[in-house]
Amino acid sequence: MEQFREIKLSRRDVLIAGAVSASAVAMPGANAQTAANAPAANPEPVKVGVSFNVNGKDVTLELDTRTTLLDALREHLHLTGSKKGCDQGQCGACTIIMDGRRINSCLSLAIMHDGAKITTIEGLGTPDKLHPMQAAFVKHDGYQCGYCTPGQICASVSVIEEIRAGMPSHVTADLNAKPQMTVEEIRERMSGNICRCGAYSNIIDAIKEVGGVKA
Amino acid sequence: MKVFTYQRATTPAQAAQTVARTPGARFIAGGTNLLDLMKLEIETPGALVDVNKLGFDKIEPTANGGLRIGAFVRNTDLASDPRVRKDYAVLSRALLSGASTQLRNKATTSGNLLQRTRCSYFYDTAQKCNKRQPGSGCAAIGGFTRNLAVVGTSDACIATHPSDMAVAMRLLDAEVETVRADGSKRTIPIADFHRLPGNTPHIETVLEPGELITYVTLPKPLGGVHAYKKVRDRASYAFALVSVATVILPDGSGRVAVGGVAHKPWRVEAAEQQMGAGAKAVADRLMAGAKTTEENAFKVPLVHRILAAAMQDAKKA
């Protein structure tokens, strides 16, 4: 936590300060409501320590057991790139890469990931040195409102790796052959990331370019 | 989400004992279904026992030519395993047709078997649901039933089992190995693992309190042409309206299991004797006694048509 305070938070400073104070106000309110529903048995929140590596930095947090990985990243580490869309694993906006694999950070408890290596959109590239997938999204206009974009980009990076590693998908014709880098494969593998603006065709163009799909 | 304590299991027997002895305790592995339900306070465990560090994350050959799958092997790893792709393609296909890669990267073999229903009346806490609150009634009966079960239902529940993987496991005659709270082990045939709803739809499997799944074992490969055909409202990332898993041998005999129609993966071995008489004969036997509504009556002919397509494909293969 303290280590992350050192991170330069530039243009989001005001927004973050707002979010922190909002959550500080919200927490007692939520507890009061629970207490009203079940006045007799309202156990105190349980805190557990967890350490993991986020974007190359080791962090140690003391968290309420109920904290999702997404909330730990956003509310505790102030890495607000990963977005909370549906908060139930349906939209993919919270997609991050953990130990080399993409997951929905909203459907995972932070305390379960002691020792994990986590990469969020903030860890893929920087404004000065974009990850090739970030650059391709910019070039092909792979977004409109941008809310789903961090999840789309983390998923896209993983899709390329998964195809190259030979992992099959629902549309892979021959399970015993190496899957091909095709639009059909990319579309199937991106189905866990929803874009409400409908920027899909440009997103596919960006991934095609990075993946080296012809035509 | 309700407050809960958290501990990491040290051995399977210790984990089983802890969950059996602690009121309201649950195991957590991938958590992709449990956490979702905890946020909605449909599941309200007071204690979570994290079993992820117990191992059981490998796929190993068995002495009689089958595969022993660790309970916490992730769906992605199971679907991608070269032995599964070659010898149990129906299992790989079923897994790949379910959820998204993000979810499959977390979801485990045992957790997939233990998924709760996606019946919207189960999810909506303002509705009556015998599964969520035993004895409260079933708002799904007489409600919107398009996605719901048509065979093996009861007056208490018409929910379906949502898993694709479990349908393939049922087809392949998998066995579920467990450790119980007293440390003893047992093996449960998949046919006996999931229960029909009857009057107790909240009891979904034969597992005892605290009983922990350690392995799911596949018998030796069947050969033949494997297929998992899933019909759904989207081309990807949606639960099945109806899915049909098949293994069809060169002589035309084979096995059929159906998803999206019942409280458990649906297989009627006697129906498979009709393979020679064609898809209609098999489907009629499979779906005999179906109780449908105007909204879900389509599922019965759909089973026939998907099976006919699978049998046609097998002839060409």
PDB file of all heavy atoms in Angstrom, chain B residues 200-226:
ATOM      1  N   THR B 200     -36.643 -32.116  -2.717  1.00  0.00           N
ATOM      2  CA  THR B 200     -35.496 -31.449  -2.073  1.00  0.00           C
ATOM      3  C   THR B 200     -34.529 -30.891  -3.111  1.00  0.00           C
ATOM      4  O   THR B 200     -33.373 -31.314  -3.192  1.00  0.00           O
ATOM      5  CB  THR B 200     -34.741 -32.439  -1.153  1.00  0.00           C
ATOM      6  OG1 THR B 200     -34.398 -33.599  -1.942  1.00  0.00           O
ATOM      7  CG2 THR B 200     -35.563 -32.847   0.041  1.00  0.00           C
ATOM      8  N   PRO B 201     -35.001 -29.936  -3.913  1.00  0.00           N
ATOM      9  CA  PRO B 201     -34.142 -29.422  -4.989  1.00  0.00           C
ATOM     10  C   PRO B 201     -32.888 -28.693  -4.497  1.00  0.00           C
ATOM     11  O   PRO B 201     -31.963 -28.472  -5.278  1.00  0.00           O
ATOM     12  CB  PRO B 201     -35.053 -28.474  -5.765  1.00  0.00           C
ATOM     13  CG  PRO B 201     -36.160 -28.133  -4.834  1.00  0.00           C
ATOM     14  CD  PRO B 201     -36.332 -29.315  -3.938  1.00  0.00           C
ATOM     15  N   HIS B 202     -32.864 -28.349  -3.206  1.00  0.00           N
ATOM     16  CA  HIS B 202     -31.666 -27.679  -2.679  1.00  0.00           C
ATOM     17  C   HIS B 202     -30.520 -28.677  -2.477  1.00  0.00           C
ATOM     18  O   HIS B 202     -29.380 -28.268  -2.293  1.00  0.00           O
ATOM     19  CB  HIS B 202     -31.993 -26.963  -1.371  1.00  0.00           C
ATOM     20  CG  HIS B 202     -32.504 -27.875  -0.287  1.00  0.00           C
ATOM     21  ND1 HIS B 202     -33.729 -28.493  -0.354  1.00  0.00           N
ATOM     22  CD2 HIS B 202     -31.961 -28.276   0.882  1.00  0.00           C
ATOM     23  CE1 HIS B 202     -33.920 -29.242   0.729  1.00  0.00           C
ATOM     24  NE2 HIS B 202     -32.848 -29.124   1.492  1.00  0.00           N
ATOM     25  N   ILE B 203     -30.830 -29.977  -2.487  1.00  0.00           N
ATOM     26  CA  ILE B 203     -29.765 -30.986  -2.388  1.00  0.00           C
ATOM     27  C   ILE B 203     -29.471 -31.472  -3.809  1.00  0.00           C
ATOM     28  O   ILE B 203     -30.251 -32.225  -4.390  1.00  0.00           O
ATOM     29  CB  ILE B 203     -30.188 -32.152  -1.472  1.00  0.00           C
ATOM     30  CG1 ILE B 203     -30.626 -31.606  -0.102  1.00  0.00           C
ATOM     31  CG2 ILE B 203     -29.049 -33.157  -1.317  1.00  0.00           C
ATOM     32  CD1 ILE B 203     -31.256 -32.642   0.802  1.00  0.00           C
ATOM     33  N   GLU B 204     -28.356 -31.024  -4.355  1.00  0.00           N
ATOM     34  CA  GLU B 204     -28.130 -31.212  -5.791  1.00  0.00           C
ATOM     35  C   GLU B 204     -27.240 -32.393  -6.129  1.00  0.00           C
ATOM     36  O   GLU B 204     -27.230 -32.869  -7.261  1.00  0.00           O
ATOM     37  CB  GLU B 204     -27.554 -29.904  -6.369  1.00  0.00           C
ATOM     38  CG  GLU B 204     -28.587 -28.786  -6.290  1.00  0.00           C
ATOM     39  CD  GLU B 204     -28.045 -27.400  -6.532  1.00  0.00           C
ATOM     40  OE1 GLU B 204     -26.815 -27.212  -6.546  1.00  0.00           O
ATOM     41  OE2 GLU B 204     -28.871 -26.492  -6.694  1.00  0.00           O
ATOM     42  N   THR B 205     -26.437 -32.832  -5.157  1.00  0.00           N
ATOM     43  CA  THR B 205     -25.551 -33.969  -5.401  1.00  0.00           C
ATOM     44  C   THR B 205     -25.651 -34.919  -4.207  1.00  0.00           C
ATOM     45  O   THR B 205     -26.279 -34.595  -3.195  1.00  0.00           O
ATOM     46  CB  THR B 205     -24.080 -33.529  -5.534  1.00  0.00           C
ATOM     47  OG1 THR B 205     -23.618 -33.078  -4.249  1.00  0.00           O
ATOM     48  CG2 THR B 205     -23.910 -32.413  -6.551  1.00  0.00           C
ATOM     49  N   VAL B 206     -24.983 -36.070  -4.337  1.00  0.00           N
ATOM     50  CA  VAL B 206     -25.002 -37.035  -3.213  1.00  0.00           C
ATOM     51  C   VAL B 206     -23.860 -36.775  -2.227  1.00  0.00           C
ATOM     52  O   VAL B 206     -23.668 -37.542  -1.292  1.00  0.00           O
ATOM     53  CB  VAL B 206     -24.920 -38.490  -3.730  1.00  0.00           C
ATOM     54  CG1 VAL B 206     -26.156 -38.810  -4.573  1.00  0.00           C
ATOM     55  CG2 VAL B 206     -23.641 -38.725  -4.526  1.00  0.00           C
ATOM     56  N   LEU B 207     -23.101 -35.706  -2.430  1.00  0.00           N
ATOM     57  CA  LEU B 207     -21.991 -35.412  -1.525  1.00  0.00           C
ATOM     58  C   LEU B 207     -22.504 -35.160  -0.103  1.00  0.00           C
ATOM     59  O   LEU B 207     -23.520 -34.494   0.093  1.00  0.00           O
ATOM     60  CB  LEU B 207     -21.210 -34.178  -1.997  1.00  0.00           C
ATOM     61  CG  LEU B 207     -20.405 -34.311  -3.284  1.00  0.00           C
ATOM     62  CD1 LEU B 207     -19.723 -32.984  -3.602  1.00  0.00           C
ATOM     63  CD2 LEU B 207     -19.379 -35.436  -3.193  1.00  0.00           C
ATOM     64  N   GLU B 208     -21.777 -35.677   0.876  1.00  0.00           N
ATOM     65  CA  GLU B 208     -22.105 -35.434   2.282  1.00  0.00           C
ATOM     66  C   GLU B 208     -21.509 -34.092   2.714  1.00  0.00           C
ATOM     67  O   GLU B 208     -20.598 -33.579   2.054  1.00  0.00           O
ATOM     68  CB  GLU B 208     -21.497 -36.545   3.150  1.00  0.00           C
ATOM     69  CG  GLU B 208     -22.092 -37.911   2.858  1.00  0.00           C
ATOM     70  CD  GLU B 208     -21.299 -39.027   3.519  1.00  0.00           C
ATOM     71  OE1 GLU B 208     -20.377 -38.734   4.321  1.00  0.00           O
ATOM     72  OE2 GLU B 208     -21.603 -40.193   3.223  1.00  0.00           O
ATOM     73  N   PRO B 209     -21.988 -33.531   3.828  1.00  0.00           N
ATOM     74  CA  PRO B 209     -21.399 -32.278   4.298  1.00  0.00           C
ATOM     75  C   PRO B 209     -19.878 -32.429   4.474  1.00  0.00           C
ATOM     76  O   PRO B 209     -19.423 -33.387   5.106  1.00  0.00           O
ATOM     77  CB  PRO B 209     -22.085 -32.044   5.650  1.00  0.00           C
ATOM     78  CG  PRO B 209     -23.386 -32.772   5.538  1.00  0.00           C
ATOM     79  CD  PRO B 209     -23.110 -33.967   4.678  1.00  0.00           C
ATOM     80  N   GLY B 210     -19.137 -31.529   3.874  1.00  0.00           N
ATOM     81  CA  GLY B 210     -17.684 -31.565   4.018  1.00  0.00           C
ATOM     82  C   GLY B 210     -16.980 -32.497   3.049  1.00  0.00           C
ATOM     83  O   GLY B 210     -15.760 -32.483   2.975  1.00  0.00           O
ATOM     84  N   GLU B 211     -17.718 -33.297   2.318  1.00  0.00           N
ATOM     85  CA  GLU B 211     -17.075 -34.248   1.391  1.00  0.00           C
ATOM     86  C   GLU B 211     -16.418 -33.471   0.251  1.00  0.00           C
ATOM     87  O   GLU B 211     -17.047 -32.634  -0.387  1.00  0.00           O
ATOM     88  CB  GLU B 211     -18.114 -35.232   0.852  1.00  0.00           C
ATOM     89  CG  GLU B 211     -17.494 -36.383   0.070  1.00  0.00           C
ATOM     90  CD  GLU B 211     -18.501 -37.503  -0.206  1.00  0.00           C
ATOM     91  OE1 GLU B 211     -19.682 -37.354   0.141  1.00  0.00           O
ATOM     92  OE2 GLU B 211     -18.072 -38.531  -0.779  1.00  0.00           O
ATOM     93  N   LEU B 212     -15.133 -33.747   0.038  1.00  0.00           N
ATOM     94  CA  LEU B 212     -14.337 -32.976  -0.926  1.00  0.00           C
ATOM     95  C   LEU B 212     -13.997 -33.837  -2.140  1.00  0.00           C
ATOM     96  O   LEU B 212     -13.469 -34.949  -1.995  1.00  0.00           O
ATOM     97  CB  LEU B 212     -13.039 -32.505  -0.253  1.00  0.00           C
ATOM     98  CG  LEU B 212     -12.048 -31.740  -1.129  1.00  0.00           C
ATOM     99  CD1 LEU B 212     -12.582 -30.352  -1.486  1.00  0.00           C
ATOM    100  CD2 LEU B 212     -10.696 -31.602  -0.414  1.00  0.00           C
ATOM    101  N   ILE B 213     -14.273 -33.311  -3.330  1.00  0.00           N
ATOM    102  CA  ILE B 213     -13.887 -34.013  -4.557  1.00  0.00           C
ATOM    103  C   ILE B 213     -12.376 -33.869  -4.737  1.00  0.00           C
ATOM    104  O   ILE B 213     -11.835 -32.761  -4.629  1.00  0.00           O
ATOM    105  CB  ILE B 213     -14.615 -33.434  -5.785  1.00  0.00           C
ATOM    106  CG1 ILE B 213     -16.130 -33.583  -5.619  1.00  0.00           C
ATOM    107  CG2 ILE B 213     -14.148 -34.121  -7.074  1.00  0.00           C
ATOM    108  CD1 ILE B 213     -16.935 -32.903  -6.722  1.00  0.00           C
ATOM    109  N   THR B 214     -11.703 -34.993  -5.012  1.00  0.00           N
ATOM    110  CA  THR B 214     -10.251 -34.956  -5.197  1.00  0.00           C
ATOM    111  C   THR B 214      -9.847 -35.242  -6.651  1.00  0.00           C
ATOM    112  O   THR B 214      -8.881 -34.674  -7.150  1.00  0.00           O
ATOM    113  CB  THR B 214      -9.564 -35.967  -4.269  1.00  0.00           C
ATOM    114  OG1 THR B 214     -10.239 -37.224  -4.377  1.00  0.00           O
ATOM    115  CG2 THR B 214      -9.595 -35.481  -2.822  1.00  0.00           C
ATOM    116  N   TYR B 215     -10.581 -36.133  -7.289  1.00  0.00           N
ATOM    117  CA  TYR B 215     -10.288 -36.479  -8.688  1.00  0.00           C
ATOM    118  C   TYR B 215     -11.581 -36.761  -9.438  1.00  0.00           C
ATOM    119  O   TYR B 215     -12.580 -37.148  -8.833  1.00  0.00           O
ATOM    120  CB  TYR B 215      -9.442 -37.760  -8.789  1.00  0.00           C
ATOM    121  CG  TYR B 215      -8.079 -37.672  -8.147  1.00  0.00           C
ATOM    122  CD1 TYR B 215      -7.876 -38.153  -6.856  1.00  0.00           C
ATOM    123  CD2 TYR B 215      -6.998 -37.126  -8.835  1.00  0.00           C
ATOM    124  CE1 TYR B 215      -6.628 -38.082  -6.257  1.00  0.00           C
ATOM    125  CE2 TYR B 215      -5.755 -37.060  -8.249  1.00  0.00           C
ATOM    126  CZ  TYR B 215      -5.563 -37.533  -6.956  1.00  0.00           C
ATOM    127  OH  TYR B 215      -4.334 -37.458  -6.377  1.00  0.00           O
ATOM    128  N   VAL B 216     -11.505 -36.598 -10.736  1.00  0.00           N
ATOM    129  CA  VAL B 216     -12.541 -37.125 -11.628  1.00  0.00           C
ATOM    130  C   VAL B 216     -11.808 -38.030 -12.611  1.00  0.00           C
ATOM    131  O   VAL B 216     -10.863 -37.586 -13.281  1.00  0.00           O
ATOM    132  CB  VAL B 216     -13.304 -35.998 -12.358  1.00  0.00           C
ATOM    133  CG1 VAL B 216     -14.326 -36.587 -13.325  1.00  0.00           C
ATOM    134  CG2 VAL B 216     -13.993 -35.076 -11.351  1.00  0.00           C
ATOM    135  N   THR B 217     -12.211 -39.292 -12.657  1.00  0.00           N
ATOM    136  CA  THR B 217     -11.462 -40.271 -13.438  1.00  0.00           C
ATOM    137  C   THR B 217     -12.258 -40.718 -14.660  1.00  0.00           C
ATOM    138  O   THR B 217     -13.460 -40.982 -14.570  1.00  0.00           O
ATOM    139  CB  THR B 217     -11.125 -41.489 -12.549  1.00  0.00           C
ATOM    140  OG1 THR B 217     -10.367 -41.023 -11.443  1.00  0.00           O
ATOM    141  CG2 THR B 217     -10.293 -42.510 -13.313  1.00  0.00           C
ATOM    142  N   LEU B 218     -11.563 -40.774 -15.793  1.00  0.00           N
ATOM    143  CA  LEU B 218     -12.182 -41.232 -17.034  1.00  0.00           C
ATOM    144  C   LEU B 218     -11.743 -42.661 -17.320  1.00  0.00           C
ATOM    145  O   LEU B 218     -10.551 -42.974 -17.200  1.00  0.00           O
ATOM    146  CB  LEU B 218     -11.746 -40.339 -18.212  1.00  0.00           C
ATOM    147  CG  LEU B 218     -12.128 -38.867 -18.132  1.00  0.00           C
ATOM    148  CD1 LEU B 218     -11.497 -38.104 -19.297  1.00  0.00           C
ATOM    149  CD2 LEU B 218     -13.645 -38.713 -18.165  1.00  0.00           C
ATOM    150  N   PRO B 219     -12.677 -43.529 -17.736  1.00  0.00           N
ATOM    151  CA  PRO B 219     -12.267 -44.872 -18.158  1.00  0.00           C
ATOM    152  C   PRO B 219     -11.494 -44.811 -19.477  1.00  0.00           C
ATOM    153  O   PRO B 219     -11.367 -43.731 -20.065  1.00  0.00           O
ATOM    154  CB  PRO B 219     -13.592 -45.606 -18.347  1.00  0.00           C
ATOM    155  CG  PRO B 219     -14.668 -44.606 -18.300  1.00  0.00           C
ATOM    156  CD  PRO B 219     -14.107 -43.291 -17.856  1.00  0.00           C
ATOM    157  N   LYS B 220     -11.018 -45.943 -19.923  1.00  0.00           N
ATOM    158  CA  LYS B 220     -10.204 -45.923 -21.148  1.00  0.00           C
ATOM    159  C   LYS B 220     -11.010 -45.390 -22.326  1.00  0.00           C
ATOM    160  O   LYS B 220     -12.241 -45.495 -22.328  1.00  0.00           O
ATOM    161  CB  LYS B 220      -9.615 -47.301 -21.416  1.00  0.00           C
ATOM    162  CG  LYS B 220     -10.580 -48.379 -21.809  1.00  0.00           C
ATOM    163  CD  LYS B 220      -9.758 -49.616 -22.190  1.00  0.00           C
ATOM    164  CE  LYS B 220     -10.544 -50.583 -23.009  1.00  0.00           C
ATOM    165  NZ  LYS B 220     -11.208 -51.664 -22.404  1.00  0.00           N
ATOM    166  N   PRO B 221     -10.339 -44.809 -23.316  1.00  0.00           N
ATOM    167  CA  PRO B 221     -11.046 -44.151 -24.424  1.00  0.00           C
ATOM    168  C   PRO B 221     -12.009 -45.089 -25.155  1.00  0.00           C
ATOM    169  O   PRO B 221     -11.751 -46.279 -25.292  1.00  0.00           O
ATOM    170  CB  PRO B 221      -9.922 -43.708 -25.357  1.00  0.00           C
ATOM    171  CG  PRO B 221      -8.702 -43.646 -24.510  1.00  0.00           C
ATOM    172  CD  PRO B 221      -8.871 -44.689 -23.456  1.00  0.00           C
ATOM    173  N   LEU B 222     -13.113 -44.517 -25.642  1.00  0.00           N
ATOM    174  CA  LEU B 222     -14.138 -45.293 -26.347  1.00  0.00           C
ATOM    175  C   LEU B 222     -13.858 -45.403 -27.834  1.00  0.00           C
ATOM    176  O   LEU B 222     -14.419 -46.252 -28.506  1.00  0.00           O
ATOM    177  CB  LEU B 222     -15.500 -44.600 -26.188  1.00  0.00           C
ATOM    178  CG  LEU B 222     -16.122 -44.543 -24.796  1.00  0.00           C
ATOM    179  CD1 LEU B 222     -17.272 -43.549 -24.782  1.00  0.00           C
ATOM    180  CD2 LEU B 222     -16.600 -45.932 -24.394  1.00  0.00           C
ATOM    181  N   GLY B 223     -13.013 -44.514 -28.368  1.00  0.00           N
ATOM    182  CA  GLY B 223     -12.860 -44.425 -29.823  1.00  0.00           C
ATOM    183  C   GLY B 223     -14.087 -43.756 -30.417  1.00  0.00           C
ATOM    184  O   GLY B 223     -14.846 -43.080 -29.717  1.00  0.00           O
ATOM    185  N   GLY B 224     -14.319 -43.959 -31.713  1.00  0.00           N
ATOM    186  CA  GLY B 224     -15.490 -43.400 -32.380  1.00  0.00           C
ATOM    187  C   GLY B 224     -15.381 -41.910 -32.652  1.00  0.00           C
ATOM    188  O   GLY B 224     -14.328 -41.293 -32.444  1.00  0.00           O
ATOM    189  N   VAL B 225     -16.477 -41.359 -33.148  1.00  0.00           N
ATOM    190  CA  VAL B 225     -16.527 -39.933 -33.483  1.00  0.00           C
ATOM    191  C   VAL B 225     -17.173 -39.186 -32.315  1.00  0.00           C
ATOM    192  O   VAL B 225     -18.285 -39.506 -31.903  1.00  0.00           O
ATOM    193  CB  VAL B 225     -17.341 -39.694 -34.773  1.00  0.00           C
ATOM    194  CG1 VAL B 225     -17.438 -38.198 -35.072  1.00  0.00           C
ATOM    195  CG2 VAL B 225     -16.718 -40.435 -35.945  1.00  0.00           C
ATOM    196  N   HIS B 226     -16.445 -38.210 -31.798  1.00  0.00           N
ATOM    197  CA  HIS B 226     -16.940 -37.439 -30.657  1.00  0.00           C
ATOM    198  C   HIS B 226     -17.511 -36.099 -31.129  1.00  0.00           C
ATOM    199  O   HIS B 226     -16.923 -35.444 -31.982  1.00  0.00           O
ATOM    200  CB  HIS B 226     -15.796 -37.128 -29.695  1.00  0.00           C
ATOM    201  CG  HIS B 226     -15.290 -38.318 -28.952  1.00  0.00           C
ATOM    202  ND1 HIS B 226     -14.934 -38.270 -27.630  1.00  0.00           N
ATOM    203  CD2 HIS B 226     -15.084 -39.604 -29.351  1.00  0.00           C
ATOM    204  CE1 HIS B 226     -14.520 -39.462 -27.231  1.00  0.00           C
ATOM    205  NE2 HIS B 226     -14.592 -40.288 -28.265  1.00  0.00           N
TER     206      HIS B 226
END
